[in-house]
């Protein structure tokens, strides 16, 4: 078995040229996301969400982005979960997409807000029935004695709510409103391309190249 210190990969798939990059980050993200879809990246909408707790320590988890536009990036979760509690205290987060097949990483930082209840309702109704019932069944991030608790909760939710469960009041969407974007493209010799976009006071984006 190889030593971890000997494991290396040469990144040679693409480049991120200043002149070819979009003037605004959302357009650049859309272009890269579309390419991730075309090359069949495994779960291209999977992203890491980093939040900060009361003790100042960060925590991360993987969620799925379900929408993005000029207002920000949206995902859905239990508001009583650990990330929900941390966002209630510190409404800022960092997101990261890692598209291994394309040798690319996208990082986004900004403030976080809950999406409108109507949007959460609409998305909740679009989910499979088992997922809708699961939102009622799981006391996310809380300690439970066994998996049997979840199974029993799901059965109870099915009896109580039937085929058309309403959205739980503690479940819905968050939107990260970007203030910083960074696009990383792996390159040979570890001389990677890094372009960042910083939101300026006048609402414009300043694009800069960072050393790898």
């Amino acid at each position: 078995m190889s030593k971890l210190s000997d494991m290396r990969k040469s990144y040679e798939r693409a480049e991120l040229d200043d002149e070819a990059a979009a003037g605004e980050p959302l357009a650049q993200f859309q272009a890269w996301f579309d390419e991730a879809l075309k090359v069949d990246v495994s779960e291209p909408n999977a992203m890491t969400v980093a939040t900060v707790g009361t003790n100042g320590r960060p925590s991360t988890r993987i969620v799925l982005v379900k929408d993005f536009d000029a207002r920000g990036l949206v995902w859905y979760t239990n508001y009583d979960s650990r990330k929900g509690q941390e966002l209630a205290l510190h409404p800022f987060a960092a997101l990261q997409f890692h598209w291994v097949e394309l040798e690319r990483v996208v990082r986004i930082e900004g403030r976080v807000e809950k999406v409108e209840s109507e949007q959460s309702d609409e998305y909740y109704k679009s989910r499979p029935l088992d997922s809708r019932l699961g939102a009622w069944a799981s006391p996310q991030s809380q300690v439970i004695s066994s998996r049997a608790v979840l199974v029993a909760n799901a059965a109870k939710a099915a009896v109580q709510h039937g085929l058309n469960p309403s959205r739980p009041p503690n479940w819905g969407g968050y939107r990260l409103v970007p203030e910083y974007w960074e696009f990383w493209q792996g390159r040979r010799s570890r001389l990677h391309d890094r372009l960042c976009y910083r939101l300026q006071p006048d609402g414009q984006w300043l694009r800069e190249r960072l050393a790898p």
Side-chain angles (χ1 to χ4, degrees), residues 8 24 37 41 71 73 91 94 96 126 145 180 182 189 193-194:
R8 291 179 177 82
E24 295 193 353
L37 294 175
V41 166
R71 296 177 298 169
L73 297 92
Q96 177 171 292
S126 74
S145 59
Y180 175 88
E182 183 179 322
S189 304
D193 289 328
R194 293 175 65 189

Side-chain angles (χ1 to χ4, degrees), residues 26-79:
L26 183 61
Q28 183 63 40
F29 181 75
Q30 182 72 68
W32 273 19
F33 192 83
D34 289 346
E35 189 171 349
L37 294 175
K38 289 179 182 178
V39 302
D40 199 25
V41 166
S42 177
E43 291 196 289
N45 61 331
M47 63 182 184
T48 299
V49 177
T51 55
V52 177
T54 56
N55 57 5
R57 296 186 178 185
S59 62
T60 65
R61 71 286 292 163
I62 302 294
V63 302
L64 301 177
V65 65
K66 290 300 181 178
D67 189 27
F68 63 86
D69 55 25
R71 296 177 298 169
L73 297 92
V74 174
W75 70 95
Y76 294 86
T77 190
N78 187 313
Y79 290 142

Side-chain angles (χ1 to χ4, degrees), residues 31-203:
W32 273 19
F33 192 83
D34 289 346
E35 189 171 349
L37 294 175
K38 289 179 182 178
V39 302
D40 199 25
V41 166
S42 177
E43 291 196 289
N45 61 331
M47 63 182 184
T48 299
V49 177
T51 55
V52 177
T54 56
N55 57 5
R57 296 186 178 185
S59 62
T60 65
R61 71 286 292 163
I62 302 294
V63 302
L64 301 177
V65 65
K66 290 300 181 178
D67 189 27
F68 63 86
D69 55 25
R71 296 177 298 169
L73 297 92
V74 174
W75 70 95
Y76 294 86
T77 190
N78 187 313
Y79 290 142
D80 295 333
S81 64
R82 178 178 177 180
K83 58 183 170 298
Q85 294 179 33
E86 293 181 347
L87 286 170
L89 293 171
H90 304 290
F92 296 90
L95 310 178
Q96 177 171 292
F97 293 84
H98 186 193
W99 296 318
V100 177
E101 297 87 340
L102 293 172
E103 300 174 353
R104 288 173 175 169
V105 174
V106 181
R107 296 178 52 236
I108 313 106
E109 300 173 9
R111 60 181 176 84
V112 177
E113 61 189 21
K114 290 182 179 179
V115 304
E116 300 77 5
S117 59
E118 294 80 8
Q119 183 172 345
S120 290
D121 289 339
E122 182 179 357
Y123 173 71
Y124 181 81
K125 291 177 182 178
S126 74
R127 307 179 83 210
L129 177 59
D130 287 349
S131 297
R132 283 178 279 157
L133 293 174
W136 283 99
S138 176
Q140 193 175 120
S141 300
Q142 296 182 27
V143 175
I144 57 176
S145 59
S146 69
R147 182 174 177 81
V149 173
L150 295 178
V151 175
N153 286 352
K156 181 179 178 181
V159 172
Q160 290 182 335
H161 302 285
L163 299 178
N164 294 293
S166 59
R167 177 174 61 89
N170 63 338
W171 190 98
Y174 284 109
R175 177 186 294 111
L176 183 138
V177 182
E179 299 170 355
Y180 175 88
W181 293 75
E182 183 179 322
F183 296 85
W184 181 97
Q185 175 69 64
R187 297 293 300 274
R188 295 183 61 182
S189 304
R190 296 299 186 264
L191 298 179
H192 311 303
D193 289 328
R194 293 175 65 189
L195 291 183
C196 74
Y197 297 74
R198 304 179 194 273
L199 185 61
Q200 303 301 293
D202 62 359

